[in-house]
Amino acid sequence: MCTRYFSTSLLLFAIIFHSCLHHQVASDDPLIGTSRETLEIIIGGGGSQAPAPCTDNEYCTPPPPPPPCPPPPPPCKFQTASGCFENARLAKAHDVIQKFKKRIQVDANSIKYTKTWQGTNVCKYKGFKCEKRPDVKEKAVAAVDFNGAKFAGRGGSLPLDGFIDGLDDIAIFHANSNNFTGTIPFRVSKIKYLYELDLSNNNLVGDFPVRVLGATNLTFLDLRFNSIKGVLPPQVFKLDLDVLFVNNNKFQQRLPDNLGNTPVLYLTFANNNFTGPIPPSIGRAPNLLEVLFLNNQLQGCLPYEIGNLCKATVFDVGSNKLTGPIPYSFGCLKKIEILNLANNEFYGEVPEIICQLSKLENFSLSNNYFTVVGPACRDLIKKKKLDVRNNCIFDLPSQRSKAECDAFFFRKQYCERPESFYWVPCIKGGYSHSNSAEKSDQGSTASVPSARTYSTLIPHRL
């Protein structure tokens, strides 16, 4: 009986004590409540309502993945003090260009180029182009295009040394209309793939740069409008060139006898001081399309071998001291469009065989001593294709005086091989006073002259 009473009393005490304790805690801390909401606020760490958990009928979007790490920079293939390069060739070209940059006078023209010559990607520099060098399959500076850049040097000197010969991989170097000085460096001959060299309209001096003779792959050589003097070496005509422009310099010599060995298509010797006769070997030049000898000091008579230039479209020997009759072989120049013999001392009849050439559009014989023109030539005069002013053709207007003509013919005239003036190599038998050389070509139609070489007489890029 006592034991049961004690147990009942102990249970009642525990209930009362637990209630008091719970009430005390709740009343002592106002942030703590008895509700589930209060507990969630405390667990959630703030007053905002925690998001409701997903139910089985809802789709929960996973959190986005972290952004990928940027790729590591590619390993440097060729490191120098100047930076990182793709290969040693580009690294060397960079250093050569930077040294050259320091030589250039800073002005409005040069800054257009040099402002881009920064960083290690030389292939994006203005004036430079890169390609794979064929023998090693590596990217390299393959071309320089400074045409019209008008670069000048600090202090008036802008040598090519250390620049062109430092770019070992170039195939093309075009620098028309700048102010390069001095001469062409020796090591140019060592540039294996140099095909085109244009240094026209600069300030080059001295003798012909024999260094270029070692650049045996050259096909284009343009040295016009400089101050190169002396002689043109015969070895030049052994180069496998398509183009040879040396006009407007100071060459003073006889034309080399091996002139006809050249394979060139376009040849300009104009505006120099070449002397002596045109060598007969010219008739062996197999590819010659246009040749300009005008405004020199050439003497003697025209060789009949010129008639062998069956591909020629332009032949100009104006303003020299040439003499003699026009060879009948000129009637074999089936493709000739421009033929200029003006301002010389030619004489005799104008061969009809020439005036019947179907493609001839401009035939200039003014300021000579011709005496006879036939019907075909008179027809060209009416069409304003033939100019015979200031000759000795007295039934035509604008001729020399009789006294002037008599004085000329009073002097003894002499040409070697006089019989050769009637040789016509393109017809059967090779000898004729007739017009038979033209019979096979009567169906051809005339074309407008398309001469390229005359543009070389202007000092700008072609």
Side-chain angles (χ1 to χ4, degrees):
M1 181 70 175
C2 291
T3 303
R4 180 183 297 175
Y5 177 78
F6 177 77
S7 299
T8 303
S9 299
L10 183 61
L11 178 60
L12 181 60
F13 175 79
I15 293 172
I16 296 172
F17 178 78
H18 181 269
S19 300
C20 292
L21 180 62
H22 181 79
H23 176 76
Q24 184 68 30
V25 171
S27 61
D28 289 344
D29 190 347
L31 297 177
I32 301 175
T34 59
S35 66
R36 178 183 180 93
E37 181 183 358
T38 303
L39 182 60
E40 290 173 351
I41 292 174
I42 296 173
I43 295 173
S48 61
Q49 186 173 355
C54 292
T55 65
D56 292 341
N57 296 327
E58 293 180 316
Y59 173 74
C60 294
T61 304
C69 296
C76 183
K77 295 181 180 181
F78 192 84
Q79 183 72 47
T80 72
S82 301
C84 185
F85 297 89
E86 184 174 332
N87 56 53
R89 299 179 185 280
L90 294 175
K92 180 183 179 182
H94 169 272
D95 292 346
V96 169
I97 295 168
Q98 295 305 319
K99 289 179 181 178
F100 174 66
K101 180 179 178 180
K102 295 178 181 178
R103 299 181 187 176
I104 300 174
Q105 178 178 312
V106 179
D107 55 33
N109 293 311
S110 65
I111 199 68
K112 297 175 185 177
Y113 289 78
T114 57
K115 69 181 181 181
T116 70
W117 298 357
Q118 300 180 22
T120 59
N121 191 352
V122 297
C123 298
K124 290 189 176 181
Y125 288 5
K126 182 177 175 61
F128 297 91
K129 295 182 180 179
C130 295
E131 295 289 346
K132 280 190 176 181
R133 180 166 163 150
D135 55 346
V136 294
K137 309 300 181 184
E138 289 184 351
K139 184 181 286 188
V141 174
V144 175
D145 184 2
F146 289 166
N147 280 342
K150 299 181 182 179
F151 287 148
R154 299 183 180 185
S157 176
L158 189 62
L160 289 161
D161 301 75
F163 179 53
I164 183 174
D165 51 336
L167 300 174
D168 303 321
D169 306 305
I170 57 172
I172 298 173
F173 190 93
H174 287 182
N176 169 282
S177 299
N178 285 278
N179 293 284
F180 285 107
T181 58
T183 187
I184 299 175
F186 171 77
R187 288 195 68 251
V188 165
S189 63
K190 305 298 182 182
I191 302 177
K192 181 177 180 179
Y193 288 106
L194 184 58
Y195 295 114
E196 297 189 10
L197 179 60
D198 181 357
L199 288 167
S200 56
N201 198 26
N202 279 277
N203 296 318
L204 302 182
V205 297
D207 294 332
F208 180 86
V210 294
R211 296 94 176 166
V212 304
L213 298 176
T216 55
N217 286 320
L218 272 181
T219 62
F220 183 102
L221 180 59
D222 188 350
L223 300 176
R224 59 200 170 90
F225 286 97
N226 281 286
S227 297
I228 303 172
K229 61 181 180 62
V231 299
L232 195 64
Q235 295 90 331
V236 171
F237 303 108
K238 297 180 181 180
L239 292 175
D240 192 18
L241 296 172
D242 294 329
V243 170
L244 176 59
F245 297 153
V246 294
N247 55 280
N248 294 84
N249 277 283
K250 297 180 179 180
F251 291 111
Q252 189 170 6
Q253 66 174 105
R254 291 171 64 94
L255 290 175
D257 289 336
N258 70 333
L259 172 65
N261 293 344
T262 182
V264 300
L265 305 174
Y266 302 97
L267 179 67
T268 63
F269 284 3
N271 302 318
N272 280 282
N273 290 297
F274 287 106
T275 61
I278 297 175
S281 69
I282 191 173
R284 298 198 306 267
N287 305 316
L288 201 56
L289 300 179
E290 300 183 16
V291 56
L292 303 185
F293 289 126
L294 73 154
N295 198 24
N296 280 281
Q297 303 294 321
L298 298 178
Q299 300 168 319
C301 303
L302 295 175
Y304 89 92
E305 287 87 353
I306 293 172
N308 291 326
L309 302 178
C310 57
K311 297 180 182 179
T313 60
V314 176
F315 187 82
D316 192 330
V317 292
S319 300
N320 280 280
K321 298 179 179 179
L322 295 165
T323 189
I326 305 176
Y328 271 61
S329 66
F330 277 42
C332 297
L333 301 176
K334 300 291 185 65
K335 296 185 178 180
I336 203 73
E337 298 172 359
I338 299 175
L339 181 58
N340 181 20
L341 308 181
N343 301 304
N344 281 281
E345 295 184 350
F346 295 117
Y347 57 86
E349 66 171 326
V350 181
E352 284 280 277
I353 193 173
I354 301 174
C355 292
Q356 291 180 340
L357 290 171
S358 62
K359 294 185 181 296
L360 185 59
E361 289 291 311
N362 189 329
F363 188 15
S364 183
L365 300 177
S366 60
N367 297 302
N368 282 286
Y369 294 89
F370 291 107
T371 54
V372 178
V373 288
C377 294
R378 289 176 183 268
D379 187 54
L380 290 185
I381 294 172
K382 292 178 181 178
K383 294 178 180 179
K384 300 187 182 301
K385 294 182 178 183
L386 172 58
D387 184 359
V388 292
R389 290 174 299 169
N390 209 32
N391 277 276
C392 300
I393 311 169
F394 296 126
D395 64 329
L396 292 178
S398 303
Q399 300 297 302
R400 296 181 186 271
S401 67
K402 186 175 184 303
E404 191 177 1
C405 292
D406 288 344
F408 172 80
F409 287 109
F410 183 78
R411 305 195 318 252
K412 185 177 180 180
Q413 311 298 329
Y414 174 75
C415 287
E416 295 182 355
R417 305 186 299 167
E419 71 283 358
S420 68
F421 290 109
Y422 299 103
W423 295 349
V424 185
C426 59
I427 67 171
K428 185 177 180 180
Y431 181 91
S432 178
H433 289 271
S434 71
N435 300 327
S436 57
E438 190 60 26
K439 289 180 180 178
S440 63
D441 197 39
Q442 289 296 319
S444 301
T445 57
S447 61
V448 177
S450 56
R452 295 183 57 190
T453 45
Y454 284 110
S455 64
T456 69
L457 305 180
I458 303 172
H460 56 57
R461 64 184 298 180
L462 296 179

